[in-house]
Amino acid sequence: MQIHLSAQLKADRKQPGSAFTVVELLIVVACLSILAAIILLGMARHSHCTMRINCTNNLKQIGLCFRTWSLDNNDKSPMQVSVTNGGAMEIVGTGTAFTAFQVMSNELSTPKILFCPAEKGRGRIAATTFQTSAAPGTVNYVPFTNDNNLSYFAALDADDSFPQRLLSGDRNLAISGRPAPHGLLQVWTNTAVTWFGPRHNGNGNIALADGSVQQVTSPRLRIVFAQSGMATNRLAIP
């Protein structure tokens, strides 16, 4: 009986254990890789969605500030008020967009809302203050001084009497597939204007003269321009 038991134990040791075979290990690795890819894709989509919502909120606040400023300036936006009267008309007319927002510093309070969370342009940096000088010892001081601190265009002909006119929006526009250059851009009703780049998954956000904000596709963007009531829409692209 003892000999038989010893032989049985030896035989048991020779039986395959619970360790993974190479094939099983490869299957497990493949499953884990697929699971990780699904999780990362979901996180990326959530991140894009969050940035798009934050950008929309930025433009809503910007639209409100334009409205507040205009109430003190005969219902005109900074783009229609002369520099000598506290506006930015002459400067914005040359295509320099940031001055239209700079004159509203009291209404905006912070320049951080002028920078899209999805902004990745070279040399672009979010400003931290409208102040042009910093107290000694101030850290992370970035003044709002040029178009590199701005993610949104300014529409020169915005007028709340015409609620469907453009007021502002994401700067990543393209004309006939090419990125719109910095400066003054004229968009006609038949201009092949689209969004450019991966920002907001190929879509974009716009603010209209009535203060509303829309997330629009490229085809919808062309319709907005066509329905603005303007033969030519003038935009200052930062």
Side-chain angles (χ1 to χ4, degrees):
M1 177 64 68
Q2 185 176 2
I3 295 174
H4 176 73
L5 180 60
S6 176
Q8 181 65 42
L9 289 172
K10 291 180 179 179
D12 289 343
R13 292 192 188 104
K14 295 180 181 179
Q15 295 296 322
S18 59
F20 285 115
T21 65
V22 173
V23 173
E24 290 172 333
L25 181 61
L26 291 175
I27 292 174
V28 171
V29 171
C31 291
L32 290 175
S33 298
I34 294 172
L35 182 60
I38 293 173
I39 293 174
L40 290 174
L41 180 60
M43 292 175 62
R45 287 178 176 174
H46 176 73
S47 177
H48 282 301
C49 182
T50 300
M51 286 190 290
R52 187 170 64 249
I53 292 172
N54 289 340
C55 178
T56 299
N57 290 335
N58 284 352
L59 285 170
K60 287 180 179 179
Q61 294 181 65
I62 291 169
L64 179 60
C65 292
F66 268 111
R67 180 57 181 163
T68 302
W69 193 92
S70 69
L71 290 175
D72 294 326
N73 292 272
N74 298 317
D75 291 329
K76 293 182 178 180
S77 73
M79 295 80 79
Q80 286 115 34
V81 177
S82 174
V83 173
T84 58
N85 293 321
M89 181 172 63
E90 295 84 356
I91 301 176
V92 177
T94 66
T96 303
F98 86 97
T99 53
F101 301 89
Q102 190 178 50
V103 299
M104 298 192 300
S105 60
N106 289 336
E107 289 76 16
L108 290 165
S109 297
T110 174
K112 294 180 181 180
I113 65 173
L114 302 176
F115 205 81
C116 175
E119 178 67 73
K120 297 184 182 298
R122 181 178 298 178
R124 301 279 167 171
I125 182 171
T128 59
T129 179
F130 285 112
Q131 300 296 324
T132 56
S133 60
T138 302
V139 295
N140 298 325
Y141 169 74
V142 181
F144 185 76
T145 58
N146 58 73
D147 280 350
N148 282 332
N149 306 133
L150 180 63
S151 295
Y152 306 112
F153 65 76
L156 276 63
D157 303 297
D159 186 337
D160 60 11
S161 298
F162 301 92
Q164 294 308 307
R165 287 187 186 179
L166 283 160
L167 175 65
S168 187
D170 283 315
R171 71 174 184 88
N172 57 311
L173 297 173
I175 305 298
S176 299
R178 296 184 177 182
H182 168 263
L184 185 63
L185 177 68
Q186 298 187 49
V187 180
W188 291 271
T189 54
N190 61 347
T191 298
V193 59
T194 60
W195 297 112
F196 182 82
R199 185 188 301 186
H200 305 320
N201 291 324
N203 299 321
N205 298 318
I206 56 172
L208 300 179
D210 63 358
S212 64
V213 175
Q214 300 179 11
Q215 299 176 5
V216 297
T217 61
S218 289
R220 177 59 188 166
L221 178 65
R222 290 191 288 273
I223 293 174
V224 170
F225 278 108
Q227 295 179 344
S228 67
M230 299 288 297
T232 304
N233 289 271
R234 300 179 300 156
L235 310 177
I237 306 295

